[in-house]
Amino acid sequence: MFEPVFADNMSEDLQNEVEAINSIYGSSTIAHSSENTYILSLPQQSTSLRLQFPINYPQAPLSVLGTQKSGNSTRKGDASHLLDIVRDVLAKVFRPGEVCLFDLLEEVGALVGEEDEQEQEPDSAANGGHEDITDGKDTLAEHKFFPEQNDRGLGILLSGEQPSWTLSEVISEKKSVFIARCANVTSLNQARSFLTHLLTTDKKVAKATHNITAWRIRGDHDVTFQDCDDDGETAAGGRVLHLMQLMDVWGVMVVVTRWYGGVHLGPDRFRIISSVARDAFVRAGYVKEQASSDGGKKKGKK
């Protein structure tokens, strides 16, 4: 049995990444095995893999050594196929100087999900493809972010404070439309008031299929607040919060809005949700885009 502990020579970047991954996907998603070797239990899969991180990760890439174990229900050849997918994705997402486990897990999950969807195409049409779709709802009343205290949030806004949103680019995919907006917040009450204001003043947003929220706030006396709400888009809020953790974004709330277009996107919707959220953070200046030595872009903290 492997414990989710850290190696003595683990870099700070890797330690922060492992903590963030385990906080979202489960406390033992990445577990230390020996020296620089770790066991990665792939989310939603019964297969686990052996990973090896060089001392200078993320300047140098990690290695996928092989399969640690596969579940009893795994079909013959599936574990080997999954291993090939992980290695191919790693080659695409790794950039020197940038941690890549989150991108690796998200991309692998999307590819595996697409394959599963193709295999289950007849069932998908019958059960809605496992996407949570709601047509025209009272978003403000149903949003978990407000446990019957909407008037309190509005009272804060009536005192003169107005949210200053930074919007992402708009992404359209198979008639679904996605946009994210983020704003600086210093307290949980302020975050609540900003979301209340958005949902009560923008009817188009209020009637959207999903308004996914996440926030990270540092309060007085080193008290921190981190939470999220899927608003019906299962697991989406956790993914956005995880993105904020990896980007080390604090004092910010983000709302990702989706209008469903009638065509199921499958796991690809999570890639788009993360993409517009990240774009909003960059546009707002919470994360800097710096040119790297290989001509690409590198993430940096504000």
Side-chain angles (χ1 to χ4, degrees), residues 244-263:
M244 297 179 74
Q245 292 169 334
L246 288 179
M247 298 176 77
D248 196 27
V249 174
W250 282 99
V252 179
M253 70 172 298
V254 61
V255 182
V256 180
T257 302
R258 178 193 181 184
W259 292 270
Y260 177 61
V263 179

Side-chain angles (χ1 to χ4, degrees), residues 189-206:
N189 278 341
Q190 186 183 44
R192 286 172 173 164
S193 73
F194 282 7
L195 184 55
T196 302
H197 182 270
L198 175 64
L199 298 179
T200 54
T201 60
D202 193 322
K203 293 182 180 180
K204 185 176 180 181
V205 172

Side-chain angles (χ1 to χ4, degrees), residues 17-18 20-21 24-25 30 40 57 89 93 99-109 235-236 238-247 270-271 273-275 278 299:
E17 186 179 26
V18 168
I21 293 288
I24 287 298
Y25 295 104
I30 303 177
L40 171 64
Y57 174 84
V89 170
V93 302
V99 294
C100 66
L101 286 178
F102 176 69
D103 291 337
L104 176 66
L105 290 175
E106 290 292 291
E107 186 67 21
V108 168
R239 292 168 186 256
V240 175
L241 178 60
H242 177 56
L243 177 66
M244 297 179 74
Q245 292 169 334
L246 288 179
M247 298 176 77
F270 296 121
R271 174 184 59 79
I273 289 169
S274 295
S275 178
R278 185 182 189 283
K299 293 175 285 188

